[in-house]
Amino acid sequence: ASDVYKRQFLPALKDARRVLILGEGDGRFLQKLLSVNSSAQIDVVEVSVGMLRLARGRLSDDQVERVEFYPTDARNWDFPEGEYDAIVTCFFLDCFTPKTLADLMPRITASAKPDACWLLSEFEAPSTARSRVWLALMHAFFRVATNLEASQLSPFAELIAESGWENTCRGTFAGGLMSSGIWR
């Protein structure tokens, strides 16, 4: 259960009708979401075509019919207005600089319905020397391997709050290095 931090608040999405997942990765979260919510229509925005292929491959034919895959960078995606009652970002926001997030947050927020929830799983600001080194190495590796924009964590929680969202529940993992929560 290495992805327990992503799944802890999954039940909050069980009744969602329209879900936006930004940066899905290999589809493990999508597969779990489809298993707890039997009717949601899901849009997945993921820049990596390889990851989208893996995600699609995890799903049954019936599940694939409920998912629209967008092989594009979220920074360039045309977010629909007021469309989603749930948004999911798992280790997505930490990829961007504060400037990019300041542009992205209002666009994400505008795509949400007024009573929407946002399931967020992210790295936390490091509180120990060990976690600072670990996070710095992760950012350095992914900057080289994937052209990651960010070289350190951005204040995404502050930016989400400034966009009108409120953190209603939260859990931490890996000694406080990761957190997951629901924002409304």
Side-chain angles (χ1 to χ4, degrees), residues 55-179:
R56 187 179 282 120
R58 291 182 185 277
L59 307 180
S60 69
D61 290 342
D62 290 341
Q63 289 174 323
V64 167
E65 288 181 18
R66 295 176 34 215
V67 180
E68 187 73 35
F69 294 98
Y70 294 92
T72 190
D73 189 319
R75 294 172 290 190
N76 304 322
W77 195 57
D78 187 18
F79 285 82
E81 297 241 350
E83 183 71 25
Y84 303 105
D85 48 13
I87 296 167
V88 176
T89 55
C90 295
F91 302 97
F92 172 77
L93 300 177
D94 65 327
C95 297
F96 304 105
T97 64
K99 183 180 183 311
T100 297
L101 288 177
D103 174 59
L104 207 49
M105 288 297 179
R107 296 171 56 216
I108 295 170
T109 297
S111 75
K113 292 180 179 177
D115 59 346
C117 73
W118 187 333
L119 190 154
L120 170 78
S121 293
E122 283 295 344
F123 290 106
E124 288 289 308
S127 58
T128 65
R130 181 176 176 234
S131 62
R132 278 190 291 281
V133 168
W134 188 82
L135 201 53
L137 288 172
M138 292 259 313
H139 269 103
F141 171 79
F142 284 106
R143 277 185 70 103
V144 171
T146 67
N147 286 327
L148 183 71
E149 179 183 285
S151 60
Q152 61 187 20
L153 286 181
S154 293
F156 51 83
E158 292 169 23
L159 292 166
I160 293 172
E162 288 172 8
S163 294
W165 296 86
E166 180 184 346
N167 188 224
T168 59
C169 52
R170 182 174 178 271
T172 60
F173 307 89
L177 189 59
M178 295 178 264
S179 71

Side-chain angles (χ1 to χ4, degrees), residues 24-27 46-57 69:
E24 166 55 24
D26 68 6
E46 169 62 60
V47 71
S48 170
V49 173
M51 287 295 172
L52 284 178
R53 192 174 15 259
L54 288 171
R56 187 179 282 120
F69 294 98

